[in-house]
Amino acid sequence: MWLRISCDLTFDIEVTTPFILMLRPRSGLQQWVASDEFKITPNISVIEFTDNYGNLCQRLVAPPGHFSICTKADIKTSELVDVGFGAAFIEIQNLPDSVLSYLLPSRYCESDRFSEMAMSITAHQSPGYDQVATIETWLRNTISYIPGSSNYPISAIEVNFKQSGVCRDLAHLGIALCRSLSIPARMVVGYLYNLEPMDMHAWFEAYVGGRWYTFDATQAGPKGGYVAIGYGHDAADVAMYNQFGPSVYPMSQVVQVELIEENL
Amino acid sequence: MWLRISCDLTFDIEVTTPFILMLRPRSGLQQWVASDEFKITPNISVIEFTDNYGNLCQRLVAPPGHFSICTKADIKTSELVDVGFGAAFIEIQNLPDSVLSYLLPSRYCESDRFSEMAMSITAHQSPGYDQVATIETWLRNTISYIPGSSNYPISAIEVNFKQSGVCRDLAHLGIALCRSLSIPARMVVGYLYNLEPMDMHAWFEAYVGGRWYTFDATQAGPKGGYVAIGYGHDAADVAMYNQFGPSVYPMSQVVQVELIEENL
Amino acid sequence: MWLRISCDLTFDIEVTTPFILMLRPRSGLQQWVASDEFKITPNISVIEFTDNYGNLCQRLVAPPGHFSICTKADIKTSELVDVGFGAAFIEIQNLPDSVLSYLLPSRYCESDRFSEMAMSITAHQSPGYDQVATIETWLRNTISYIPGSSNYPISAIEVNFKQSGVCRDLAHLGIALCRSLSIPARMVVGYLYNLEPMDMHAWFEAYVGGRWYTFDATQAGPKGGYVAIGYGHDAADVAMYNQFGPSVYPMSQVVQVELIEENL
Amino acid sequence: MWLRISCDLTFDIEVTTPFILMLRPRSGLQQWVASDEFKITPNISVIEFTDNYGNLCQRLVAPPGHFSICTKADIKTSELVDVGFGAAFIEIQNLPDSVLSYLLPSRYCESDRFSEMAMSITAHQSPGYDQVATIETWLRNTISYIPGSSNYPISAIEVNFKQSGVCRDLAHLGIALCRSLSIPARMVVGYLYNLEPMDMHAWFEAYVGGRWYTFDATQAGPKGGYVAIGYGHDAADVAMYNQFGPSVYPMSQVVQVELIEENL
């Protein structure tokens, strides 16, 4: 399916503020970016780089005054994410080097503290995809998904204590549980077609059966229409923007995802 | 300055043909891609990856029949390339690790065979930028630049023997001469505003004074309006497309570069 | 100065256990490995790889029974770490891309929760090295350094609550405080000559004045004799070994650092 | 099998000379370095880095006078290289991104000029391993292997013209022929047990059946006892040393490979 995604952010900057943005989608195994726009107003100097995860980031220094970022892209993505019941747990010694770091605990996914809980949730499941699917279902049934209920990332321990959270929070807890079972898991942020209410979104992927599979406990079941913007260990790696100096909050943030005809 | 660049390629494919393309510009220190389109017809599956040099490449398999690639981008680039007379030769031991491979001979730049010639051309020049500028001038005055005169890359030795060539050939000889003086040099392919006749272009960069500088012996002197698509050791690394199996030639190739208003 | 370092670990393994080790030093800007031994008993198959931080890691599967790792190396390192009072804070926009991730919070360094505390500790210090030196002094005077007092990593928040810790804990709190001031900071694990009691050690580095500087709040002041084994965001990235499956603890761990004559 | 390899090089340096060395083996899929020594006399400052191919390189500046490099290592390697008759040609679209550059022509392997010859040599062979084995046999039977007959690298075209060469030359021609058939091929330099006469050695690898296989036209048939020091596109990437400024030749070069008991 073809989607047109856009995100417009506006700020009112008081003091000169360095930003690092992560808002530009790139083509990968799961999506193809056929066209792309990235406008920054005022027309200041921007330097783009690729971070350790392959995400496109932009560095800039916003001057005082009105500051806006408008991104838009036409993207081909799957109608339905792959589902892989039965996909096997990959023994540590057989994992590719590049996924090993996704076994480690990270800022918002304290997987070193979740072993017992993960084993209890997934008891009787065969190792691999089925464990992750059980974790996803458990999250869906246990942690209340309340969009807009939090402004800053909280960690898996905090989410588990609170028993509710935004999409990012559910993903953090899901990732922590997977890693504690020695299943590599990573965070993805981006867009989701027909998300209610529309906003930037977050979900997670787990590495089983020799590949990454998508999981999203905020939705009733597997869907398609995902557009990834950033991959990382957790929210610390994939902030839409990191801003330095006195805190600045967007005056407006407008996110849109619409279905388009095949891009011709 | 803001430029709108485009390149449209059409092929008539007889047998299923794998391609690797390098036609998509990316933002970097010297240019900012504000918008970008990349259309492939028919609408087949494409996988994008980043090569060792940071270039964006697309892998695909073209089915028999009409096949076309249309790329377009709006890009901010310099009005005039930096000129750095006096910029010093950097001692080998002080070069960054990442530029060392640009000292080595490569497929089309047999720098191991040009020491005497390079020393002769640059005699009495102070080491660094001034040597490269002298090489550029020597190329301009010695090797006849004849656009369209060659269909496949030839090497510096062959160019020197032939005493004429296309933009790529002059760049190859320039690179070989620089490297033989222990100055890192690399190939750049892309677009140039007001190039006559308009086509894809190639030039070279040399690392002196702690940074890369642009050199282009095909033009009368320093200009701006360069848009880079690919960086590499020589033409082998930065083909617009690599195609495997029976040779396929484009039926048409239309390249355009126009000046646009600031991208708003 | 030349040091001979060694670390011998023995385990009694009950069930086949995958390990990822990080115990092999490598040559870098600050040290030169003139010789190196790495013996694993029994003689099983080992695969070495380099992680994202450039650390050498070994992957293996330990069979049930006695299992030991003996590493030894002769290394040249500084007599005294560089001290850089006055070295300036580097503005975010001027930091190299490669250090940006060391500004982010990580598993054991929740820098997103330490802004006020860091500003209070470093009030009146000029931005940069002097801030970090003040943090180091504050740690030395405030957090009791109690070697051997903890078996698993705890986070900066937990360390600050406990007001005591092992070398790793002091480093975590130091890193969190630096990052909250927008100073890139990273964890280093390795050896320290004359450490009392001798054991593996951990300290931190901060990026100011355009380079990394060493800080170690467990020692009375700047010294030399550091040998690095691993660099990372925090202890999660640089475990001496990660082991999967039922927990296994070393039966013995013998660490030695001795001064040797110049390696001839 | 366990081998102890060593290479001692001595130079008499007249003017201060920067060197980049590639003489230190590293552990990988095919070998395990259990111990390693690297001594440079006089005791000057050395900086080690890892190049784009994962090879360990050392940068240093040799002062005038006697200069020597002594390297030694105990290494576990295969008794016999894997042989894979029938291993399939991998379609371009299915090759991993990381091997694609080994399809391109390089300094000493002008694969763009060998298509017809490669097809003629391998006519009637099934695509993949069997083609490469046929190329290897053809080289063995056609190009006279004359150790010590050349002091500097020559290219595949030159080797084919000369019809004789050193190990490096046979490897270059083998690589060029493979690549012209769209089979990724790369150069390996290192040691070979029982090589006659003993010296540093060079051979090549081809990527078929989803992995790299070893080929060596200088030997009568498949053997073991290979120790790799460097991997690259061709000899330009894997020189034992690159030296800058007036040419310097080793006064002596002593290479040894001996069989040792299992490293205990």
Side-chain angles (χ1 to χ4, degrees):
Chain A
M1 73 199 293
W2 284 89
L3 298 175
R4 174 163 297 160
I5 56 90
S6 64
C7 176
D8 294 353
L9 284 168
T10 60
F11 296 89
D12 195 7
I13 306 285
E14 299 208 353
V15 295
T16 300
T17 300
F19 275 85
I20 301 176
L21 311 177
M22 191 186 292
L23 280 161
R24 195 168 210 170
R26 62 184 298 181
S27 297
L29 286 177
Q30 294 165 20
Q31 64 191 19
W32 165 248
V33 180
S35 72
D36 170 56
E37 271 183 46
F38 202 102
K39 292 188 189 169
I40 288 163
T41 311
N43 175 19
I44 53 176
S45 164
V46 185
I47 293 180
E48 193 167 286
F49 72 102
T50 303
D51 72 9
N52 287 334
Y53 310 95
N55 304 311
L56 291 177
C57 305
Q58 295 79 31
R59 303 174 64 168
L60 56 85
V61 180
H66 180 82
F67 174 62
S68 76
I69 303 159
C70 299
T71 70
K72 189 161 83 168
D74 288 356
I75 292 176
K76 188 183 178 185
T77 187
S78 295
E79 307 252 355
L80 181 62
V81 297
D82 291 342
V83 171
F85 284 98
F89 173 78
I90 306 293
E91 300 283 342
I92 304 298
Q93 57 269 38
N94 298 326
L95 288 171
D97 295 344
S98 59
V99 311
L100 292 176
S101 77
Y102 297 101
L103 290 169
L104 301 175
S106 59
R107 169 65 185 95
Y108 298 112
C109 304
E110 308 99 331
S111 47
D112 47 326
R113 310 278 166 98
F114 281 94
S115 290
E116 288 182 26
M117 187 168 146
M119 281 193 278
S120 153
I121 292 170
T122 63
H124 314 304
Q125 295 299 325
S126 59
Y129 189 95
D130 296 7
Q131 287 176 314
V132 187
T134 300
I135 288 169
E136 183 191 42
T137 302
W138 178 87
L139 286 168
R140 193 177 284 132
N141 296 338
T142 313
I143 309 296
S144 306
Y145 167 51
I146 311 179
S149 61
S150 127
N151 287 318
Y152 58 93
I154 60 175
S155 79
I157 288 175
E158 293 168 310
V159 175
N160 188 43
F161 181 78
K162 208 174 147 194
Q163 295 279 302
S164 71
V166 299
C167 52
R168 183 178 56 207
D169 300 327
L170 274 72
H172 281 155
L173 185 49
I175 292 168
L177 290 165
C178 289
R179 290 185 192 159
S180 74
L181 296 170
S182 298
I183 295 174
R186 66 181 180 187
M187 182 94 173
V188 195
V189 294
Y191 299 84
L192 172 59
Y193 178 56
N194 273 345
L195 179 67
E196 284 291 336
M198 180 51 64
D199 201 350
M200 298 304 284
H201 192 50
W203 59 95
F204 72 103
E205 292 185 346
Y207 191 90
V208 288
R211 51 160 288 192
W212 292 103
Y213 282 94
T214 295
F215 295 90
D216 183 352
T218 71
Q219 303 297 305
K223 353 180 26 171
Y226 287 88
V227 172
I229 297 292
Y231 295 87
H233 290 99
D234 64 26
D237 292 336
V238 291
M240 265 202 305
Y241 57 88
N242 278 301
Q243 161 253 317
F244 302 86
S247 288
V248 166
Y249 298 99
M251 290 167 58
S252 70
Q253 173 175 334
V254 180
V255 176
Q256 288 182 297
V257 180
E258 54 179 309
L259 195 63
I260 55 174
E261 291 296 300
E262 177 182 326
N263 190 271
L264 287 174
Chain B
M1 73 197 295
W2 283 90
L3 297 174
R4 173 163 297 162
I5 55 91
S6 64
C7 175
D8 294 353
L9 285 168
T10 60
F11 297 88
D12 195 7
I13 305 285
E14 299 208 353
V15 296
T16 300
T17 300
F19 275 85
I20 301 176
L21 312 176
M22 191 186 291
L23 281 161
R24 194 166 212 171
R26 61 185 299 181
S27 298
L29 285 178
Q30 294 166 20
Q31 64 190 21
W32 165 249
V33 180
S35 73
D36 170 55
E37 271 184 45
F38 202 102
K39 292 190 187 168
I40 288 163
T41 311
N43 175 19
I44 53 175
S45 165
V46 185
I47 293 180
E48 193 167 286
F49 73 101
T50 303
D51 73 10
N52 288 334
Y53 309 97
N55 304 311
L56 290 177
C57 305
Q58 294 79 31
R59 304 174 63 168
L60 55 85
V61 181
H66 180 83
F67 175 61
S68 76
I69 303 159
C70 300
T71 69
K72 189 161 82 168
D74 289 356
I75 292 176
K76 187 183 178 184
T77 187
S78 294
E79 305 254 356
L80 181 61
V81 296
D82 290 342
V83 171
F85 284 99
F89 173 78
I90 305 294
E91 301 283 342
I92 303 299
Q93 57 270 36
N94 298 327
L95 288 170
D97 295 344
S98 59
V99 311
L100 291 175
S101 77
Y102 296 101
L103 290 169
L104 301 175
S106 60
R107 170 64 186 96
Y108 299 113
C109 305
E110 307 99 331
S111 47
D112 47 328
R113 310 276 166 99
F114 281 94
S115 290
E116 287 181 27
M117 186 169 147
M119 281 193 279
S120 153
I121 292 170
T122 63
H124 313 303
Q125 295 300 325
S126 60
Y129 189 94
D130 296 7
Q131 288 177 313
V132 187
T134 301
I135 288 169
E136 183 191 42
T137 302
W138 177 89
L139 287 168
R140 193 177 284 132
N141 296 338
T142 313
I143 309 296
S144 306
Y145 167 50
I146 311 180
S149 61
S150 128
N151 287 317
Y152 59 92
I154 60 174
S155 79
I157 287 175
E158 294 168 310
V159 175
N160 188 43
F161 180 78
K162 208 175 147 194
Q163 295 280 300
S164 72
V166 298
C167 51
R168 184 178 56 207
D169 301 327
L170 275 70
H172 281 155
L173 185 49
I175 292 167
L177 290 165
C178 289
R179 290 186 193 158
S180 74
L181 297 170
S182 298
I183 295 174
R186 67 182 180 187
M187 181 94 172
V188 194
V189 294
Y191 299 84
L192 172 59
Y193 179 57
N194 273 345
L195 180 67
E196 284 292 336
M198 181 48 66
D199 201 350
M200 299 303 285
H201 192 50
W203 60 95
F204 72 103
E205 292 185 348
Y207 191 89
V208 288
R211 52 159 288 191
W212 293 102
Y213 281 94
T214 295
F215 295 91
D216 183 353
T218 70
Q219 303 298 304
K223 2 182 12 177
Y226 288 89
V227 171
I229 298 292
Y231 295 87
H233 290 98
D234 63 26
D237 291 336
V238 292
M240 264 201 306
Y241 57 88
N242 279 301
Q243 161 253 316
F244 302 86
S247 288
V248 166
Y249 299 100
M251 292 168 58
S252 70
Q253 173 175 335
V254 180
V255 177
Q256 289 182 296
V257 180
E258 53 179 309
L259 195 64
I260 55 173
E261 291 296 301
E262 177 182 327
N263 190 271
L264 289 174
Chain C
M1 73 198 294
W2 284 89
L3 298 174
R4 173 162 298 159
I5 56 91
S6 64
C7 175
D8 294 354
L9 285 169
T10 60
F11 297 88
D12 196 8
I13 305 284
E14 299 207 353
V15 296
T16 301
T17 300
F19 275 85
I20 300 176
L21 311 176
M22 192 186 292
L23 280 160
R24 195 167 212 171
R26 62 183 301 181
S27 297
L29 284 178
Q30 293 166 20
Q31 64 190 20
W32 165 247
V33 180
S35 73
D36 169 57
E37 272 183 45
F38 202 102
K39 292 189 186 168
I40 288 162
T41 310
N43 175 19
I44 53 175
S45 164
V46 185
I47 293 179
E48 194 167 287
F49 72 102
T50 303
D51 72 9
N52 287 335
Y53 309 96
N55 304 310
L56 291 176
C57 305
Q58 294 79 32
R59 303 174 65 168
L60 56 85
V61 181
H66 180 83
F67 174 62
S68 76
I69 303 159
C70 299
T71 70
K72 192 161 80 169
D74 289 355
I75 292 176
K76 188 181 177 186
T77 187
S78 294
E79 306 253 355
L80 181 61
V81 298
D82 291 342
V83 171
F85 283 99
F89 173 79
I90 306 294
E91 300 283 343
I92 303 300
Q93 56 271 38
N94 297 326
L95 289 170
D97 295 344
S98 60
V99 311
L100 292 176
S101 77
Y102 296 102
L103 289 169
L104 301 175
S106 60
R107 170 63 185 97
Y108 299 113
C109 304
E110 306 99 333
S111 46
D112 47 326
R113 310 277 167 98
F114 280 94
S115 291
E116 287 183 25
M117 186 169 147
M119 281 192 277
S120 153
I121 291 170
T122 62
H124 313 304
Q125 295 300 325
S126 61
Y129 189 95
D130 297 6
Q131 287 177 314
V132 186
T134 301
I135 288 169
E136 182 191 41
T137 303
W138 177 88
L139 287 167
R140 192 176 284 131
N141 296 339
T142 313
I143 309 295
S144 307
Y145 167 50
I146 309 179
S149 61
S150 128
N151 287 317
Y152 59 91
I154 59 174
S155 78
I157 287 174
E158 293 167 310
V159 175
N160 188 43
F161 181 77
K162 207 175 147 193
Q163 294 279 301
S164 71
V166 299
C167 51
R168 184 177 55 209
D169 300 328
L170 274 70
H172 282 155
L173 185 48
I175 292 167
L177 290 165
C178 289
R179 291 186 192 157
S180 73
L181 296 170
S182 298
I183 295 175
R186 67 181 180 185
M187 182 94 173
V188 194
V189 294
Y191 298 84
L192 172 59
Y193 179 56
N194 274 343
L195 179 67
E196 284 292 338
M198 181 50 66
D199 201 350
M200 299 303 286
H201 192 50
W203 59 95
F204 71 104
E205 293 184 348
Y207 192 89
V208 287
R211 51 160 288 192
W212 292 102
Y213 282 94
T214 296
F215 295 90
D216 183 352
T218 71
Q219 304 296 305
K223 355 181 22 174
Y226 288 88
V227 172
I229 297 293
Y231 294 86
H233 290 98
D234 62 27
D237 291 336
V238 292
M240 266 201 304
Y241 56 88
N242 278 301
Q243 161 252 316
F244 301 86
S247 289
V248 166
Y249 298 99
M251 292 167 57
S252 71
Q253 174 175 334
V254 180
V255 176
Q256 288 182 297
V257 180
E258 54 179 310
L259 195 63
I260 55 173
E261 291 296 301
E262 177 182 326
N263 190 271
L264 287 174
Chain D
M1 72 198 293
W2 283 90
L3 298 174
R4 173 163 298 160
I5 55 91
S6 64
C7 176
D8 294 353
L9 285 169
T10 59
F11 297 87
D12 196 7
I13 306 285
E14 298 207 356
V15 297
T16 300
T17 300
F19 275 85
I20 300 176
L21 311 176
M22 191 187 291
L23 281 161
R24 194 167 213 172
R26 62 184 299 182
S27 298
L29 284 179
Q30 294 167 20
Q31 65 190 20
W32 165 248
V33 180
S35 73
D36 170 57
E37 272 182 47
F38 203 102
K39 291 187 188 170
I40 288 162
T41 312
N43 175 20
I44 53 176
S45 165
V46 185
I47 293 180
E48 193 167 288
F49 72 101
T50 302
D51 72 9
N52 286 336
Y53 308 96
N55 304 310
L56 290 177
C57 306
Q58 293 80 32
R59 303 174 64 167
L60 56 85
V61 181
H66 179 83
F67 174 61
S68 76
I69 303 159
C70 299
T71 70
K72 190 160 82 167
D74 289 356
I75 292 176
K76 187 182 179 186
T77 187
S78 293
E79 307 253 357
L80 181 62
V81 297
D82 291 343
V83 171
F85 283 99
F89 172 79
I90 306 293
E91 301 283 343
I92 302 300
Q93 58 271 36
N94 298 325
L95 288 171
D97 295 343
S98 59
V99 312
L100 292 175
S101 76
Y102 296 101
L103 290 169
L104 301 175
S106 60
R107 169 64 185 96
Y108 299 113
C109 304
E110 307 98 332
S111 48
D112 47 326
R113 309 278 166 99
F114 281 93
S115 290
E116 287 183 26
M117 186 169 148
M119 280 193 277
S120 154
I121 291 170
T122 62
H124 313 304
Q125 295 299 325
S126 60
Y129 188 95
D130 297 6
Q131 288 177 314
V132 187
T134 300
I135 288 169
E136 183 192 39
T137 303
W138 178 88
L139 287 168
R140 192 177 285 132
N141 296 338
T142 313
I143 309 295
S144 305
Y145 167 50
I146 310 179
S149 60
S150 128
N151 287 317
Y152 58 91
I154 59 174
S155 79
I157 287 174
E158 294 167 310
V159 175
N160 188 43
F161 181 77
K162 206 175 149 196
Q163 295 279 301
S164 71
V166 298
C167 52
R168 183 178 56 209
D169 300 329
L170 274 71
H172 282 155
L173 184 49
I175 292 167
L177 290 165
C178 289
R179 290 185 193 158
S180 73
L181 297 170
S182 297
I183 295 175
R186 67 181 180 186
M187 182 94 171
V188 195
V189 294
Y191 299 85
L192 172 59
Y193 178 57
N194 274 344
L195 179 67
E196 283 293 337
M198 181 49 66
D199 201 350
M200 298 304 284
H201 192 51
W203 59 94
F204 72 103
E205 292 184 349
Y207 191 91
V208 287
R211 50 160 288 191
W212 293 103
Y213 282 94
T214 295
F215 295 90
D216 183 352
T218 71
Q219 303 297 306
K223 346 178 34 168
Y226 288 88
V227 172
I229 297 292
Y231 294 87
H233 290 98
D234 63 27
D237 291 336
V238 291
M240 266 201 304
Y241 57 89
N242 279 301
Q243 161 252 316
F244 302 86
S247 288
V248 166
Y249 298 100
M251 292 168 56
S252 70
Q253 173 174 336
V254 180
V255 176
Q256 288 183 296
V257 180
E258 54 179 310
L259 194 64
I260 56 173
E261 291 296 302
E262 177 182 326
N263 190 271
L264 288 173

